[in-house]
């Protein structure tokens, strides 16, 4: 499909191309335009019929939208902007430089301009920034038949018609009716009789993560957004929530690998921007690691006498770090998915303790056998290393299981208590145990 | 709300309780039953009217479903099972012990039994295991009006009526019509004129991760599942896909923290089961870490002469590990979301190289200043450590940026090339550089 388009452009067969483009799907066209160089991309975009162009435009990444805005005529641009769903338009305007925003705001009515400005002011990641105003509203005095007629008349511009919102004259939300009910129920019934009054709603300033967890809990496909007086101001649809879930997960992955979160796609982010996101945490962790260095310096004399002890340091530090990361990752994820609550703290600690004893003992035994049989180490040295290993795993899991919960209690993001920080902390602990055990058993 | 239920149970006011329960939402009721002890949970369940009981049942975790199956009368059980959506029933049967499954299969028709067995045989995580058979099918000869009448007659048992499937006499999928179109368009139009023939579909054996990425790409709320001859066998709805996205992310988090994935909730998994999931990778990584130990042993004489060098080992190993994890995490996530393709390999490596030079130089400089000003180290030692640090960061990022892509090329899961394994590999590299630089500069 891609090849065919490239071919037609190369051969300058634009009328054939125009015919073939109009039967393609918008997402696929957006991908093709993304692959083409800027000039050809704009040619393809110009060949699209208006409705399709609008759909394709909403799927393009913001740098391509900007290229197109600069290249096409203001009249055509305004046609496209007008046809965009309201939430897509806001997403687009948020990414555009201010001269483009001004150019577009010039062409809308005073009322629309106010609304757009209000939406542009919702904080990033809030429910307000995700919502659309294109929903179907009904009155409770309507019959099912009236409602269907109303939907037929007004529904074509709505982002979804599958959930309809029953509001009063003051726009207060009184109930919800699914299109499913409207189609299946008797058309003489009143909306007030069939509407659902147990409404799950969010407010404009709620965080997108909370909104996503409501969608998951109640298997929703839309959710109403209300203001402090329970007036309906917009709705959020599931397709935007799926993106939120992906973005929130990406953020957690980045934080857990000691990076400041980056919302841009990797290949589109500049080198210095990427470097900046990484240096801060590396620096903090580097300084924290000097603590472990201090432990070594304190026990320098032991190391001087038994330099053989140094060889096991990586094994102890690595295993401690990994065991701790396992626990912290499980807890962080459990908290993120709402499976682990703060009140479960003691249950978690008790479980991690038991798991760590099993894991620690198994690893210590395996290492003892390895050192005695494969490496043919001295028995005392093998015992010191293996004993420390077992103790360290238990400590590491206790630390890894505790710190994310402490972070959550302090209203910090539990994700920062992931592998990297845990590793640094338990590294130091592991060496303290190691050298103390060694100095006792080696009689230093 | 919870307190109220607990109170009414404690006071044995069951008729009041029955009245209050029937106005609550199924998800919330399932949560309350989960909080109660087994006996009270069953009491609450028994008080629910049939339809609500069915909904609540589908939200309960499988161990509670089992308790209820054992406690309630077979007639009531069969009523509930019959009312369950087909995919919820399959999910439930998959988790039940075989005697329960047999008991239930005894009460269904021969045809249903065959179908259930077929569904129970779809591999876990396949499209087949997610789908339901309760969809609306239409014929292309119908008018919009016929279609709406057909939906009104058959729709009440369907999991969704928002997307309808146009099939021929051999059940081949010919098109898709949304309820949106049926409601908005003129009722005299033919289905064949308004149906969409650009169908995005999956086959029963496709992996759930691929299915989820189609939902994301095309903003779908349902997808049809077809067999090899393009016959419609079922549909998958977005609510199940949201769960898939969460599960797949959890799996990635677990793999990236060196654990075998666990599908159960943390607090419900036994100690030995949890320990088993963790020991394998800890063991592999522990053995890999002995490699780093070997490096130390090889350079024992340097360490013996300059034991001060040992103090910087944690700093070098930690920073290397963290820098490598950052890169590998970004790449693994980019691959998972489809943002980084295999063909981007050279672009990725080139970008990581430039980022790592910026990061490595900054950290080396910061460390040099720290050692000279704060620790007042020897200049040569400070230079050896800082130089190694800079080189190590570049190497670590190259390794971290490369290995996930190599894994992907070899058809392995890129997620195993995360922090823990990368750390072990770059630890050894860091020490090799360190001791070599030291032996040259210290003239050993």
């Amino acid at each position: 499909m891609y090849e065919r388009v490239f071919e037609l452009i190369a051969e300058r067969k634009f009328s054939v191309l125009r015919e073939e483009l109009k039967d393609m799907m918008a997402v696929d066209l957006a991908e093709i335009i993304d692959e083409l160089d800027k000039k050809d991309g704009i040619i393809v975009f110009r060949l699209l019929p208006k409705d399709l162009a609008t759909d394709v435009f909403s799927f393009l990444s913001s740098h391509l939208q900007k290229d197109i805005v600069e290249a096409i005529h203001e009249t055509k641009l305004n046609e496209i902007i007008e046809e965009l769903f309201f939430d897509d338009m806001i997403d687009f305007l948020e990414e555009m430089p201010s001269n483009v925003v001004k150019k577009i705001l010039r062409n809308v009515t005073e009322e629309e301009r106010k609304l757009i400005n209000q939406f542009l002011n919702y904080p990033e990641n809030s429910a307000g920034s995700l919502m659309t105003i294109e929903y179907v509203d009904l009155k409770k005095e309507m019959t099912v038949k009236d409602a269907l007629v109303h939907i037929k008349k007004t529904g074509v511009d709505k982002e979804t018609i599958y959930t309809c919102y029953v509001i009063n004259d003051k726009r207060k939300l009184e109930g919800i009716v699914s299109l499913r009910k409207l189609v299946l129920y008797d058309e003489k019934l009143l909306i007030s009789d069939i509407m659902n009054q147990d409404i799950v709603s969010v407010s404009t300033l709620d965080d997108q993560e909370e909104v996503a967890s409501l969608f998951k809990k109640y298997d929703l496909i839309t959710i109403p957004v209300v203001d402090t007086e329970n007036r309906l101001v917009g709705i959020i649809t599931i397709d935007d929530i799926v993106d939120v879930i992906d973005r929130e997960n990406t953020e957690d992955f980045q934080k857990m690998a000691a990076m400041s979160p980056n919302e841009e796609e990797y290949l589109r982010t500049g080198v210095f921007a990427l470097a900046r996101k990484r240096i801060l945490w590396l620096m903090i962790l580097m300084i924290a690691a000097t603590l472990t260095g201090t432990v070594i310096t304190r026990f320098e004399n032991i190391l001087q006498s038994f330099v053989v002890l140094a060889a096991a340091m990586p094994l102890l530090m690595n295993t401690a770090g990994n065991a701790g990361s396992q626990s912290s990752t499980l807890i962080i994820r459990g908290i993120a998915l709402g499976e682990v609550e703060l009140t479960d703290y003691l249950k978690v600690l008790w479980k991690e303790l038991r798991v760590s004893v099993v894991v620690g003992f198994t690893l210590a035994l395996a290492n003892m056998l390895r050192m005695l049989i494969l490496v043919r180490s001295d028995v005392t040295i093998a015992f010191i290393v293996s004993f420390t290993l077992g103790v360290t795993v238990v400590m590491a899991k206790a630390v890894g299981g505790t710190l994310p919960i402490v972070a959550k209690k302090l209203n910090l993001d539990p994700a920062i208590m992931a592998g990297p920080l845990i590793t640094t902390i338990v590294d130091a602990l592991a060496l303290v145990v190691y050298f103390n055990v060694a100095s006792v058993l080696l009689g230093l």
Side-chain angles (χ1 to χ4, degrees), chain A:
Chain A
M1 183 164 63
Y2 293 5
E3 289 70 27
R4 177 80 181 141
V5 174
F6 297 150
E7 220 177 274
L8 290 171
I9 292 179
E11 296 170 9
R12 295 313 195 222
K13 292 190 178 157
F14 295 131
S15 57
V16 187
L17 184 57
R18 184 198 305 266
E19 281 310 298
E20 302 208 352
L21 290 176
K22 78 178 188 348
D23 294 325
M24 291 172 62
M25 291 180 90
V27 196
D28 296 326
L29 280 165
E31 264 189 12
I32 289 176
I33 291 177
D34 191 27
E35 299 272 314
L36 292 169
D37 60 33
K38 185 173 154 180
K39 204 173 93 275
D40 288 344
I42 291 168
I43 293 177
V44 167
F45 188 81
R46 280 201 174 125
L47 290 173
L48 300 174
K50 197 184 75 179
D51 284 356
L52 189 56
T54 308
D55 281 354
V56 170
F57 189 80
S58 72
F59 283 115
L60 290 175
S61 57
S62 52
H63 75 282
L64 287 170
Q65 288 180 333
K66 194 158 151 271
D67 290 346
I68 284 172
V69 166
E70 282 161 0
I72 66 175
H73 191 270
E74 197 164 333
T75 325
K76 183 153 187 193
L77 176 63
N78 283 325
E79 278 176 14
I80 288 174
I81 302 293
E82 249 167 55
E83 287 294 311
L84 277 177
F85 279 125
F86 192 77
D87 56 342
D88 289 332
M89 177 168 67
I90 297 294
D91 288 346
F92 156 67
L93 288 176
E94 271 170 352
E95 298 297 329
M96 289 301 109
S98 64
N99 62 326
V100 175
V101 176
K102 271 188 207 142
K103 198 161 117 185
I104 288 163
L105 289 185
R106 237 188 358 243
N107 293 294
V108 301
T109 65
E110 175 64 26
E111 198 188 345
E112 275 178 311
R113 186 155 50 233
K114 264 196 193 152
L115 202 59
I116 289 172
N117 275 320
Q118 180 193 338
F119 269 68
L120 288 175
N121 280 327
Y122 287 121
E124 220 184 339
N125 303 336
S126 68
S129 74
L130 289 172
M131 70 185 180
T132 178
I133 47 168
E134 285 143 338
Y135 52 83
V136 176
D137 47 11
L138 303 176
K139 299 282 169 203
K140 65 179 173 191
E141 302 77 27
M142 289 177 165
T143 60
V144 168
K145 191 174 179 184
D146 297 337
L148 285 170
V149 170
H150 177 72
I151 293 171
K152 202 160 195 153
K153 216 159 51 187
T154 62
V156 68
D157 293 327
K158 308 303 183 189
E159 179 140 349
T160 182
I161 63 171
Y162 295 146
T163 313
C164 304
Y165 298 88
V166 185
I167 56 177
N168 70 10
D169 293 337
K170 296 189 171 103
R171 305 203 62 76
K172 285 213 174 150
L173 183 59
E174 301 185 306
I176 288 181
V177 185
S178 64
L179 186 62
R180 182 186 181 110
K181 276 192 185 169
L182 295 175
V183 167
L184 296 181
Y185 283 25
D186 188 292
E187 62 179 25
K188 289 192 238 46
L189 287 171
L190 282 176
I191 294 298
S192 54
D193 293 331
I194 66 167
M195 72 185 187
N196 190 344
Q197 288 173 282
D198 287 331
I199 306 169
V200 180
S201 67
V202 293
S203 83
T204 46
L205 296 180
D206 283 350
D207 188 77
Q208 59 180 10
E209 216 167 345
E210 288 163 49
V211 181
S213 65
L214 288 175
F215 269 87
K216 291 182 207 166
K217 180 170 175 194
Y218 294 100
D219 285 349
L220 304 173
I221 55 172
T222 56
I223 202 168
V225 184
V226 295
D227 65 12
T228 45
E229 281 150 75
N230 201 33
R231 281 182 307 224
L232 185 63
V233 289
I235 63 167
I236 298 173
T237 51
I238 181 81
D239 51 319
D240 295 318
I241 291 301
V242 169
D243 297 338
V244 166
I245 296 173
D246 268 344
R247 275 206 305 276
E248 292 284 341
N249 278 311
T250 298
E251 260 190 51
D252 276 356
F253 276 110
Q254 292 175 341
K255 284 187 208 151
M256 288 169 73
M259 283 175 281
S260 316
N262 180 17
E263 296 228 335
E264 295 291 308
E265 278 196 22
Y266 173 75
L267 286 174
R268 296 210 189 292
T269 314
V271 169
F272 282 94
L274 283 175
R276 227 184 5 250
K277 305 260 175 208
R278 304 190 196 178
I279 286 176
L280 177 70
W281 270 102
L282 285 182
M283 200 82 92
I284 293 172
L285 293 168
M286 188 174 89
I287 289 165
T290 60
L291 177 72
T292 318
T294 315
V295 174
I296 296 180
T297 310
R298 246 200 74 205
F299 292 95
E300 228 169 51
N301 56 331
I302 301 185
L303 213 52
Q304 189 90 49
S305 324
F306 289 88
V307 78
V308 59
L309 289 175
M313 281 166 40
L315 179 145
L316 290 173
M317 292 197 291
N318 254 336
T319 309
N322 290 332
S325 306
Q326 289 182 333
S327 302
S328 70
T329 300
L330 279 179
I331 306 302
I332 292 168
R333 188 67 184 156
I335 294 175
L337 291 182
E339 291 172 2
V340 173
E341 308 278 337
L342 288 186
T343 47
D344 297 326
Y345 172 61
L346 287 176
K347 268 194 263 181
V348 169
L349 199 64
W350 173 229
K351 184 156 242 170
E352 281 305 294
L353 201 68
R354 286 175 296 161
V355 173
S356 67
V357 170
V358 176
V359 172
F361 182 77
T362 313
L363 291 182
L365 189 70
N367 183 62
M368 189 80 191
L369 294 174
R370 177 188 73 85
M371 287 185 78
L372 291 180
I373 298 171
L374 293 181
V375 192
R376 301 193 173 279
S377 307
D378 175 80
V379 179
T380 316
I381 301 287
F383 181 78
I384 293 170
V385 174
S386 305
F387 179 79
T388 307
L389 186 68
V391 173
T392 299
V393 168
V394 176
M395 281 191 326
K397 288 205 168 287
V399 171
T402 308
L403 288 190
I405 295 183
V406 172
K408 180 78 188 171
K409 279 225 171 158
L410 298 175
N411 272 323
L412 296 170
D413 188 339
I416 61 169
M417 293 298 178
L421 194 56
I422 298 289
T423 299
T424 310
I425 294 167
V426 299
D427 272 2
L429 288 177
L431 292 189
V432 169
V433 175
Y434 187 41
F435 289 122
N436 276 308
V437 172
S439 60
V440 170
L441 289 185
L442 296 173
L444 289 164

